[in-house]
Every structure is written in structure tokens, then in C-alpha cells.
Amino acid sequence: MKVSIIVAAYNIENYIKRCMDSIVSQTFKDIEIIVVNDGSTDNTSKIIESFANNDKRIKTIDKQNEGLIEARKSGLKIACGEYILFLDGDDWLHTQAIEKLYKKAIQDDSDIVLYNFYLAYDSNKLKAQKSFEETVKYEDDYLKLSLTGQIGANIWAKFLRREFLIDNNIEFVKDITYAEDVATTNLLFMYSPKVSTIDENLHYYYQRGNSVTKIVDERLFDIPKALNFIKLNLEKQGLYEKYKEEYDYLYYKHIYFYQIISATHYIDIHKKLYKIWKSTKIDIRNNKYFIDFKDQMTNGLKVKIEMFDRSYYLGVAYIKFRSILKNN
């Protein structure tokens, strides 16, 4: 078996058929399709079963709902392919995706192949997205590129050699339902994988209004858990001091910039995350990645950051003031 495609599915009766159609119609046929039904309560399992009855390549796992990362791990345990591709059940693949990825992986003897994707909307609109920056082609310190966001965190945008995962005894993060890809991706790059790239959009990332990535609830507290998982593994590998500046920048972006500065409204959760950021006492102002990042900001965004840096309440007051000015 050359490729194992692991599909995680939870209450996606309106989307799973499109996903499965894209897999069974792949031009590359030497695949196994492992579909993990993560405790769905709608018709998802029936649709999966109908596909399995018509295609012997499909294996199904029915389990209680434990979240995306546990569903992926369940599929990985029984996977037999040389290479692994994770796919969320509401997304889908280009018909030639596996053919192109496997050919590239074998040609370059790759542990990881990076590739690009589309954001896909109900209006049939597609928006091309990069999962890696051009620096990846000229820089071989992939952990640095990953920590600083030059390689995207999405695990489904990485074609993975299964032997690489086994040989390095890579264990994915536990007990979180948000930011798991940030933890997993950075973990992979701690083991010096051989990386190649395909500059093609092979994955369709469906934009659902109720997607878990759009949540504003207690699950956001999984972000510091994921970041602490990264720090723990950096320390375990003796890499923390070498990559401290990159790690600090990662922490800043995911806790402070994305969740506080980029928030569209402010509730108690944001205030708690703000306190978590402040408690780290990370000196981000002298961080070279932050300095470059800030140089690219608008003056308005720089002022917003300055207000929040002084105090949470001053930042929120500044947002309200700007909103009043805008509406008058």
C-alpha cells in the first residue's frame, strides 16, 4: 500500500459525500481510505457506510466523540501506507492530488511534501492560498520557518512519510481540540525531516460559518496548552535555547496578536488570554521577527498595539473610540 488517506468526520452529513467522491476518484489508485466517524449523531456514518460497501479500499472506524486530533490518531494506528495524508471530512482534494504528491515524494525521497490549497466558499468562489513562503525553497532550517509562520500549521497541507513518524516515535498532542495543528506541525519539524514542495493548489479548504476555527469560547485556552506542548518538546530535544526567539514570536502571534489585537469583539476570554500573555514576560519588543512584522503594519494597527501594551482596558477603550468615529 503506497498511500493512506485518513479522513476525520463528525456531523458532516452535508459535506462528507463531496469529500469521499474526491478521494475515490483519485487518478492514483494504490491507496487505502481510512474514515474515522468521530461519534457523529447525524447521517454521516450512513453515508460513509454506503461508500465502504462499494469500495474495498475503504476502512471505517466508529468511535466516541473525542475531537479531531484523537480521530486522526485512531486512523494513524491502522494505516499501512508508505505515505499519510490527513483530510477533514468537509474538505476535498484535487483529482490528481495523490498522484502528484506521491510522485514528488518518491522523486525527492521526502519525509514531508508541502503543497498549497484553496479556500472554498458556498458561492463556488475559490481563493488560492500559500501553505509555505518562498523562503522554504532557499532555507533548510524548517523548524525555524515553521515556528515563525513561514510554513503554515495545517497538518492536512503536508504529505507525510509514515516511517518518519514511526522512526522518530512522534506522538501527537493530547487533550486539546483547538490549535492541535500548530502543536503537531512544529513537532514534526523538530526531527529534521527531508522536505520538498509542490507549488500547486491540491486541497480545497471549505469555509463553514460554524467551523471550529471561528470559535470564541473556552476552547481558546487550548492555544497556550498547544504552545506549552511545543516548548516542552523543544526542551526535550535540547532545542529550546537555540529557537527561543522563534518560539517567543510564535507565542506572541498565537496568543496576543491573533486573539487580542485581531479580535473583533472583546469578552472575558480575551481578557484572560491577555493576562496569560502578560504573565510570560516575553520581551517581544526586541524580538527580530516582531520588529520586521511591526515594520509592515499600518500606523493605526501600531497605535492599537501600543494601547493594548499599556493596558487591556486602554486597548478596548481605543477600539470603542475608533468605532464611534467610524460610525459618525
Side-chain angles (χ1 to χ4, degrees), residues 70-251:
E70 295 303 323
R72 288 171 176 168
K73 284 194 274 189
S74 295
L76 188 58
K77 284 179 182 177
I78 68 168
C80 300
E82 295 173 42
Y83 283 86
I84 302 290
L85 185 73
F86 292 106
L87 182 63
D88 295 346
D90 52 354
D91 297 343
W92 67 100
L93 297 173
H94 185 286
T95 306
Q96 293 180 289
I98 302 301
E99 180 181 348
K100 290 174 180 288
L101 290 166
Y102 185 77
K103 181 179 179 180
K104 183 66 172 177
I106 296 303
Q107 174 185 305
D108 294 351
D109 190 28
S110 307
D111 295 315
I112 301 176
V113 182
L114 307 175
Y115 54 99
N116 295 320
F117 63 97
Y118 291 106
L119 296 179
Y121 300 86
D122 283 327
S123 60
N124 294 321
K125 176 184 175 183
L126 298 176
K127 185 176 180 181
Q129 297 288 296
K130 294 280 190 181
S131 69
F132 58 90
E133 296 184 11
E134 287 298 309
T135 45
V136 173
K137 299 176 182 179
Y138 312 106
E139 168 69 67
D140 60 5
D141 189 341
Y142 300 111
L143 178 54
K144 180 179 77 172
L145 296 176
S146 180
L147 288 167
T148 56
Q150 295 172 75
I151 295 175
N154 297 322
I155 196 65
W156 44 254
K158 293 157 186 70
F159 193 62
L160 305 169
R161 192 202 302 267
R162 188 168 65 92
E163 191 176 76
F164 170 75
L165 302 177
I166 295 169
D167 288 350
N168 291 294
N169 195 30
I170 293 173
E171 295 186 9
F172 295 169
V173 66
K174 299 176 182 178
D175 301 324
I176 68 171
T177 58
Y178 193 80
E180 65 273 10
D181 279 5
V182 177
T184 302
T185 293
N186 283 288
L187 178 64
L188 293 174
F189 289 113
M190 292 180 202
Y191 292 90
S192 303
K194 186 173 183 181
V195 177
S196 57
T197 63
I198 293 182
D199 201 8
E200 294 186 51
N201 302 75
L202 301 176
H203 180 109
Y204 296 86
Y205 180 27
Y206 180 53
Q207 300 301 288
R208 275 200 286 165
N210 62 345
S211 169
V212 70
T213 58
K214 297 179 176 63
I215 63 167
V216 183
D217 63 25
E218 296 291 325
R219 284 173 287 180
L220 288 179
F221 295 119
D222 281 351
I223 302 174
K225 291 180 185 178
L227 296 171
N228 289 336
F229 172 85
I230 294 169
K231 182 179 180 181
L232 179 65
N233 279 277
L234 285 171
E235 291 173 339
K236 190 184 298 184
Q237 299 297 321
L239 296 171
Y240 179 67
E241 290 303 323
K242 179 179 179 181
Y243 291 97
K244 185 179 185 305
E245 191 165 24
E246 289 80 7
Y247 174 79
D248 286 351
Y249 181 63
L250 176 79
Y251 205 105

Side-chain angles (χ1 to χ4, degrees), residues 1 3-8 16 19-26 28-36 48 51-52 54-61 75 78-81 85 87 93 98:
M1 188 64 59
V3 178
S4 299
I5 303 173
I6 300 172
V7 181
I16 187 63
C19 175
M20 296 300 296
D21 282 339
S22 78
I23 301 172
V24 298
S25 62
Q26 287 292 305
F28 190 91
K29 302 301 182 184
D30 193 2
I31 61 176
E32 66 172 356
I33 305 160
I34 301 170
V35 189
V36 184
I48 293 168
F51 274 93
N54 291 297
D55 194 323
K56 293 181 180 179
R57 298 174 299 173
I58 299 175
K59 302 175 182 178
T60 61
I61 299 174
I78 68 168
C80 300
L85 185 73
L87 182 63
L93 297 173
I98 302 301

Side-chain angles (χ1 to χ4, degrees), residues 274-290:
Y274 180 89
K275 289 181 177 179
I276 289 172
W277 162 251
K278 287 295 185 180
S279 71
T280 66
K281 300 189 184 303
I282 291 174
D283 182 16
I284 201 64
R285 287 181 175 271
N286 293 316
N287 185 294
K288 64 184 178 183
Y289 300 103
F290 171 75

Side-chain angles (χ1 to χ4, degrees), residues 294-311:
K294 193 172 182 180
D295 284 344
Q296 301 170 33
M297 294 178 187
T298 63
N299 288 333
L301 187 54
K302 289 177 182 177
V303 173
K304 185 178 182 181
I305 289 174
E306 185 64 32
M307 295 298 102
F308 272 104
D309 282 352
R310 293 184 182 185
S311 86

